[in-house]
Amino acid sequence: MKKNLIFGFLTVLTVAIACSSQSKKTERSPSSAGLEDEIQMDLNQMKAEAFSRCQGSYRPPVTEKIPILDPPADGGPEAEGMVFQEELSVRTSNFLDRDGFYVQPRPRAAVNSIPMDIFVESDQPGVYERKTWEDANPDYSNGTIVPPIQRSQIPPAGRVLTEVIIGHKAPDGGYPQLFDLRSSGYVRFAGYPPQITGASMRVATHRIFSLGATSTEKAPEDFPVIRALFLKIKNTKTVHAFALVESDLFCGALSLDMNEGKDADLVVDSYWYTRRDFVWKKDPHTGLIAYSSMQFKTEKHTPNRISDEAHDSDVMVVTHGDGKTKRYLLDPPPKGLKVQDLTEKDGGVSPKEWILANEDRNPSHYADFKPALGNTNYDLRASYKVTILESNVKTGVSLYQHSPDGEYGDNIVAVSTLRQDFRKATSVDQAVHFKYRTTAFFPTWPVR
């Protein structure tokens, strides 16, 4: 009799545990990229995944409107919805924390709404486990968020991750943010303070400023998005990521080494496939790395007032294959768009390096913004150098300058443009290969 009771109790307990385990599994947010929860991943696997995706039509990310998370439809910061400051106040649990690095996920909030799968390497080298919104354990209790948000209010479409912050212990003992990878395909990074992020890197770009085959023809801008990131801490200096990137034109397999330091840098080894044959003269506004930046005012605009400049960048420098260096001062038109091809045409040699810099680091030139921006003012914005390491296609360099619409909107794009036709790949080994290093730095020449 006692044995039967015990057996019955154990049976009920086993069923309860199984049900509880199954419930926990169903509580996990599903993969937005359609990937398994545990995957063995290396560069060859990532290339195979990118190639496979480009055999079919593009399925752009679909995001439902969620009023409590999206930017307010009307009203100020206290209206329903999240503004930038409220987004920053959401706390999450680190996915990795080792060797001086931390890897922190960010949930959907404010303008960041495109879902992205985030994987971290398990105890088995090369095997990655998917982490979810539930693993991030987002905390919305900060008083900055008005009106308050309860986790139970957030529908399944809002329980996604959209961003990864990577930081490292600095020489002064703090843990500043160094790298910021967003599902929108934007990467923002800077070295240790006092460097502050300036321009935003795009992992690829297509139809810049909605341009078609000409500088006047309009077409929908095609933003590559990061579908999935696979992260691991390599050592005390480097975090590595594989990134799966997609757009209407591209599918990309990227291997990124993110290196901490006074001048942080990224080494990006990228392999690209297209959904159709690419003809660069019909699609010239296409590139494999770009930087978006802002120039609102320089001394040119208000020569009688030296304190109201506002810009993340003020000059572009191009080093061509023959070693010649040319400088181009940024000067957006008062109206419309100016597009400059900065590629060296004689000899047909692709440029090997370019820089988008903020040379004017005189604090007095930005004094009007100091009360609001403090230690993030424009004199501390980093400059960015791009060095081409390997490429099996010809590339050029172009500069796009749009009339400014205020202090916040990016109106400058510098880009390594594709300058060669190629057919849609029929096998995984027919990728467009493009490898580069990009570095955040302060110009060492005297401030103006």
Side-chain angles (χ1 to χ4, degrees):
M1 180 69 176
K2 287 183 179 179
K3 286 183 178 179
N4 289 338
L5 286 173
I6 292 171
F7 178 77
F9 172 75
L10 290 175
T11 301
V12 171
L13 182 62
T14 301
V15 172
I17 291 172
C19 291
S20 174
S21 176
Q22 183 64 32
S23 174
K24 285 182 179 179
K25 285 182 181 179
T26 58
E27 285 174 5
R28 284 172 57 86
S29 298
S31 164
S32 60
L35 299 172
E36 299 294 329
D37 282 349
E38 186 173 275
I39 300 180
Q40 186 159 358
M41 185 57 64
D42 57 23
L43 183 56
N44 287 332
Q45 288 289 110
M46 182 59 73
K47 288 164 63 178
E49 181 68 31
F51 170 76
S52 175
R53 284 174 181 256
C54 252
Q55 301 314 297
S57 58
Y58 181 49
R59 296 182 179 180
V62 177
T63 56
E64 297 178 19
K65 292 183 179 180
I66 303 178
I68 60 172
L69 299 180
D70 297 340
D74 51 18
E78 296 185 1
E80 182 183 47
M82 299 188 76
V83 297
F84 179 65
Q85 292 81 1
E86 292 173 314
E87 175 195 345
L88 294 179
S89 69
V90 179
R91 296 289 173 256
T92 57
S93 300
N94 292 342
F95 283 166
L96 292 171
D97 201 334
R98 195 180 75 240
D99 295 335
F101 279 106
Y102 66 87
V103 175
Q104 180 188 95
R106 304 295 301 161
R108 174 173 174 170
V111 297
N112 290 332
S113 59
I114 299 172
M116 175 173 68
D117 281 353
I118 298 174
F119 293 77
V120 299
E121 191 175 44
S122 68
D123 293 336
Q124 296 177 267
V127 177
Y128 292 80
E129 297 176 345
R130 188 171 69 90
K131 298 293 184 179
T132 66
W133 183 88
E134 291 79 11
D135 296 318
N137 193 28
D139 179 358
Y140 302 86
S141 64
N142 191 291
T144 304
I145 301 174
V146 179
I149 295 175
Q150 304 297 324
R151 280 170 56 109
S152 59
Q153 294 177 276
I154 299 174
R159 297 179 182 183
V160 296
L161 301 175
T162 63
E163 185 177 358
V164 169
I165 303 293
I166 298 170
H168 192 275
K169 186 176 182 180
D172 65 3
Y175 284 83
Q177 167 185 323
L178 297 183
F179 302 97
D180 179 351
L181 287 71
R182 301 185 181 187
S183 57
S184 59
Y186 279 81
V187 178
R188 293 172 60 82
F189 75 102
Y192 289 124
Q195 273 192 26
I196 296 297
T197 300
S200 298
M201 173 186 147
R202 299 192 200 184
V203 296
T205 186
H206 181 217
R207 302 189 190 122
I208 300 165
F209 284 118
S210 297
L211 292 178
T214 68
S215 58
T216 56
E217 181 184 346
K218 293 296 181 182
E221 189 159 2
D222 179 27
F223 279 103
V225 298
I226 299 177
R227 294 290 199 188
L229 279 176
F230 297 78
L231 295 148
K232 70 175 180 180
I233 296 172
K234 287 179 70 171
N235 51 51
T236 59
K237 300 289 291 181
T238 306
V239 167
H240 179 266
F242 292 116
L244 177 64
V245 179
E246 271 197 276
S247 75
D248 175 58
L249 174 64
F250 290 122
C251 301
L254 279 60
S255 174
L256 302 89
D257 275 339
M258 293 167 273
N259 302 301
E260 62 83 27
K262 180 177 73 71
D263 296 340
D265 72 46
L266 276 162
V267 177
V268 181
D269 196 8
S270 63
Y271 294 80
W272 297 93
Y273 305 91
T274 56
R275 299 182 195 277
R276 52 189 176 271
D277 294 346
F278 178 78
V279 180
W280 78 268
K281 288 187 178 179
K282 292 183 178 180
D283 229 346
H285 310 289
T286 305
L288 298 182
I289 176 179
Y291 272 98
S292 296
S293 190
M294 181 277 295
Q295 186 177 103
F296 178 39
K297 285 185 180 180
T298 65
E299 59 268 22
K300 166 189 169 181
H301 298 96
T302 52
N304 296 324
R305 185 181 181 88
I306 66 167
S307 58
D308 67 343
E309 291 188 41
H311 49 81
D312 291 327
S313 307
D314 58 10
V315 68
M316 187 169 179
V317 183
V318 180
T319 302
H320 297 283
D322 59 4
K324 294 179 182 178
T325 298
K326 294 184 180 179
R327 293 166 49 82
Y328 305 88
L329 291 178
L330 301 187
D331 187 20
K335 290 184 179 180
L337 174 66
K338 178 168 66 176
V339 181
Q340 295 170 270
D341 176 4
L342 308 182
T343 307
E344 190 85 30
K345 291 188 171 62
D346 51 344
V349 180
S350 295
K352 62 181 182 181
E353 185 173 278
W354 52 270
I355 294 171
L356 192 62
N358 206 33
E359 290 185 345
D360 185 353
R361 295 192 49 236
N362 189 329
S364 67
H365 292 177
Y366 312 100
D368 288 5
F369 297 92
K370 179 70 173 179
L373 297 179
N375 292 329
T376 64
N377 209 358
Y378 294 107
D379 57 300
L380 300 176
R381 304 294 168 97
S383 300
Y384 296 91
K385 177 170 66 175
V386 176
T387 304
I388 312 304
L389 302 177
E390 297 176 34
S391 179
N392 66 359
V393 293
K394 185 177 178 181
T395 59
V397 172
S398 294
L399 174 63
Y400 297 72
Q401 301 182 79
H402 203 287
S403 55
D405 59 1
E407 183 199 349
Y408 297 104
D410 283 354
N411 62 319
I412 305 292
V413 175
V415 57
S416 283
T417 44
L418 285 167
R419 299 300 177 93
Q420 178 179 320
D421 299 345
F422 49 87
R423 291 191 172 278
K424 176 182 174 179
T426 57
S427 66
V428 72
D429 60 349
Q430 294 177 343
V432 170
H433 180 214
F434 190 67
K435 184 177 182 179
Y436 56 90
R437 174 184 289 108
T438 179
T439 307
F441 71 101
F442 278 153
T444 55
W445 43 93
V447 296
R448 298 207 304 268

